[in-house]
């Protein structure tokens, strides 16, 4: 008999999990509260771990068709001097597709494997005995019910999973800008100055992805529309990017979420609902993909769902906590250091960031081979 799953939230985590379960023979219904499936169009870093997950579900080609292959992620000071360099290799990849391409690719594969996606379908609770209750009063019983409803998850509350929500001190602004000849082709450059950051990402042949961050109380830097004078004065080296800053952009507070537990009985929490983190390492969605792949594989080998869910958290929680902690630490070093301490921070970063221990810790999630993916080792 086919096992059944009801998943709330057709974001990247819900879609990947739904697709993988359906690929393995489950009957899956995915509920999205919005009337349309849509994704804001900036870029997203997809590391080796995430790319392998996409390969398994058959979404890789479509997701990455327009993506730039990144050769190096670099942190620089406001004058362009390197503070940290993180090169990639063919077996330790980083690609930068537009989010919309990744989203479309996952929707296509979900459809291919028969996931029933229902829009305008809002879940209000999940229960340990495997019931998802909907806003319209209907109930769906399944072997597995999943909250994939994002950072501000309402559903995780129904299994008392929320442990800690930290609204942090930073906010970020995302946008796509027109690409110019001369923009770096395969290098991500993250300029730091005091508590502000300007992050340049080559994305497609026609567009670059820009991410700006600053403390929320830095009103001029963290408000929209973006103050071009401020950013070009803070980062003169990037003035030609600032000139092209687009009006259409998105503002997010950079939030951390930790759960007391990831499951109760037949109910589970995944993705940002389980472990939202500031986007400093570009690994939150990649981590959700690793966890979705692991969950599907553990369920393959274990018929008792509550036991499988407990094993899943035991096996995956350590890596998620690690990635989240490093993301937090990174944000702390960036957002808590005042401008006058830039030289001290620069010296510190230059001396530690090249060490093997630092690189291994920073990249642990990015280099993880998800369960069910090819097992050849990621060489560094
Ligand atoms: C600025 C920024 C940059 C980032 N860059 C990267 C990056 O480069 N690489 C990376 O790996 N990660 C990155 N991340 C993190 C990544 O975007 C998230 O981890 C990922 O999108 C989370 O997906 P999700 O599906 O868990 O949640 P969401 O994307 O929030 O999706 C949740 C979905 O659930 C729906 N929903 C909510 N409530 C209900 C309900 N009650 N019933 C039904 N549906 C519901 C919502 O409408 C939504 O569609 C970044 C994050 C930010 C803020």
């Amino acid at each position: 008999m086919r096992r059944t799953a009801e998943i709330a939230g057709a974001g990247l985590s819900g879609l990947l999990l739904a697709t993988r379960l359906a690929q393995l023979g489950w009957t899956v219904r995915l509920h999205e509260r919005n009337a349309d499936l849509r994704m804001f169009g900036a870029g997203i870093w997809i590391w080796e771990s995430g790319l392998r997950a996409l390969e398994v579900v058959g979404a890789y080609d479509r997701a990455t068709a327009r993506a730039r292959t990144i050769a190096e992620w670099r942190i620089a000071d406001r004058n362009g001097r390197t503070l940290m360099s993180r090169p990639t290799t063919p077996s330790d990849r980083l690609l930068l597709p537009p989010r919309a391409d990744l989203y479309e690719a996952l929707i296509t594969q979900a459809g291919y494997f028969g996931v029933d996606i229902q829009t305008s379908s809002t879940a209000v609770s999940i229960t340990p005995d495997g019931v998802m209750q909907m806003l319209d009063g209907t109930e769906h019983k399944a072997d597995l019910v999943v909250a994939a409803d994002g950072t501000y998850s309402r559903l995780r509350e129904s299994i008392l999973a929320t442990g800690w929500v930290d609204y942090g001190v930073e906010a970020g602004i995302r946008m796509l800008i027109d690409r110019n000849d001369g923009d770096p082709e395969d290098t991500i450059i993250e300029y730091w100055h005091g508590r502000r950051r300007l992050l340049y990402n080559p994305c497609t042949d026609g567009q670059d992805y820009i991410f700006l961050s600053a403390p929320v109380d830095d009103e001029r830097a963290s408000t929209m529309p973006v103050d071009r004078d401020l950013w070009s004065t803070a980062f003169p080296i990037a003035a030609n990017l600032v000139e092209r800053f687009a009006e259409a952009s998105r503002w997010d507070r950079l939030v951390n979420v930790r759960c007391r537990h990831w499951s109760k009985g037949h109910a589970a929490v995944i993705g940002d609902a389980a472990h939202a983190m500031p986007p400093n390492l570009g690994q939150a969605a990649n981590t959700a993909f690793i966890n979705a792949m692991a969950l599907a594989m553990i369920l393959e080998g274990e018929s008792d769902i509550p036991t499988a869910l407990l094993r899943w958290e035991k096996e995956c929680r350590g890596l998620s906590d690690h990635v989240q902690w490093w993301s937090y630490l990174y944000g702390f070093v960036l957002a808590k250091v005042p401008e006058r301490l830039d030289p001290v921070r620069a010296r510190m970063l230059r001396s530690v960031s090249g060490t093997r221990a630092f690189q291994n810790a920073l990249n642990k999630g990015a280099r993880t081979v998800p369960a069910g993916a090819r097992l050849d080792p990621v060489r560094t």
Side-chain angles (χ1 to χ4, degrees):
M1 206 157 88
R2 284 167 75 100
R3 292 199 278 179
T4 55
E6 300 280 342
I7 302 174
L12 297 175
S13 315
L15 269 166
L16 197 282
L17 177 63
T19 305
R20 182 64 177 140
L21 288 175
Q23 184 183 31
L24 292 172
W26 288 60
T27 298
V28 185
R29 186 156 40 194
L30 179 59
H31 303 270
E32 170 55 50
R33 71 176 169 191
N34 289 326
D36 309 305
L37 297 175
R38 58 171 188 258
M39 174 67 61
F40 173 74
I44 185 162
W45 299 10
I46 303 293
W47 295 93
E48 187 66 36
S49 52
L51 294 170
R52 289 185 185 222
L54 296 177
E55 284 163 1
V56 172
V57 299
Y60 176 89
D61 288 343
R62 194 182 281 261
T64 62
R66 298 194 299 151
R68 291 263 161 190
T69 300
I70 303 302
E72 182 194 355
W73 162 29
R74 186 188 303 162
I75 303 178
D77 66 15
R78 68 191 298 246
N79 299 310
R81 286 181 300 238
T82 302
L83 307 178
M84 184 195 91
S85 170
R86 195 295 196 195
T88 66
T89 68
S91 58
D92 179 23
R93 295 166 290 171
L94 170 59
L95 267 66
L96 221 159
R99 271 180 184 257
D101 291 10
L102 172 60
Y103 196 54
E104 285 302 322
L106 286 173
I107 291 168
T108 302
Q109 286 311 101
Y112 176 79
F113 290 114
V115 174
D116 173 10
I117 304 183
Q118 306 222 331
T119 51
S120 302
S121 183
T122 303
V124 291
S125 72
I126 50 175
T127 66
D129 57 348
V131 175
M132 182 175 284
Q133 288 158 340
M134 311 305 295
L135 190 60
D136 65 8
T138 55
E139 291 190 347
H140 302 295
K141 176 102 174 92
D143 295 308
L144 175 68
V145 289
V146 182
D149 53 339
T151 305
Y152 303 100
S153 171
R154 158 182 188 171
L155 298 180
R156 68 175 173 241
E157 276 307 277
S158 54
I159 57 165
L160 301 177
T162 313
W164 174 66
V165 179
D166 171 22
Y167 292 92
V169 295
E170 273 188 292
I173 294 173
R174 288 180 262 183
M175 70 188 90
L176 288 167
I177 63 168
D178 291 336
R179 188 175 168 72
N180 268 4
D181 291 344
D183 290 348
E185 304 243 328
D186 58 6
T187 308
I188 291 170
I189 308 179
E190 184 167 343
Y191 298 100
W192 286 15
H193 180 39
R195 303 168 72 192
R196 294 174 182 155
R197 149 175 57 183
L198 188 159
L199 171 58
Y200 163 83
N201 303 271
C203 189
T204 65
D205 287 347
Q207 289 187 301
D208 300 322
Y209 158 37
I210 301 291
F211 176 64
L212 309 172
S213 74
V216 200
D217 61 8
D218 181 348
E219 277 181 29
R220 271 190 76 193
S222 64
T223 48
M224 295 202 332
V226 174
D227 182 337
R228 290 193 178 86
D229 287 344
L230 173 90
W231 287 97
S232 55
T233 307
F235 298 99
I237 196 168
N240 74 337
L241 297 172
V242 177
E243 278 167 17
R244 282 176 273 148
F245 278 6
E247 294 301 335
S249 42
R250 175 177 161 139
W251 189 95
D252 288 283
R253 185 126 190 180
L254 308 185
V255 176
N256 263 292
V257 170
R258 267 189 191 223
C259 283
R260 288 199 182 86
H261 40 254
W262 283 0
S263 72
K264 200 163 200 183
H266 290 252
V269 185
I270 200 164
D272 276 10
H275 52 63
M277 62 187 89
N280 296 317
L281 313 185
Q283 289 184 26
N286 290 266
T287 304
F289 287 0
I290 293 169
N291 292 340
M293 297 286 288
L295 176 55
M297 285 314 283
I298 290 170
L299 286 163
E300 276 292 279
E302 172 60 64
S303 56
D304 184 62
I305 305 269
T307 306
L309 292 180
L310 289 175
R311 207 182 116 202
W312 170 59
E313 179 168 356
K314 203 164 164 218
E315 289 185 12
C316 293
R317 183 84 193 226
L319 180 71
S320 298
D321 287 352
H322 172 92
V323 174
Q324 192 179 41
W325 164 243
W326 270 77
S327 170
Y328 183 80
L329 187 66
Y330 188 106
F332 188 88
V333 173
L334 170 61
K336 293 282 189 185
V337 175
E339 209 174 305
R340 66 191 155 78
L341 293 181
D342 267 5
V344 179
R345 181 173 63 188
R347 274 199 300 281
M348 189 193 79
L349 258 178
R350 282 203 190 94
S351 65
V352 300
S353 65
T355 62
R356 183 177 284 268
F358 180 94
Q359 287 289 337
N360 284 344
L362 184 78
N363 296 305
K364 192 170 173 183
R367 292 174 176 156
T368 295
V369 178
R374 289 181 288 121
L375 280 178
D376 48 320
V378 177
R379 290 176 296 277
T380 57

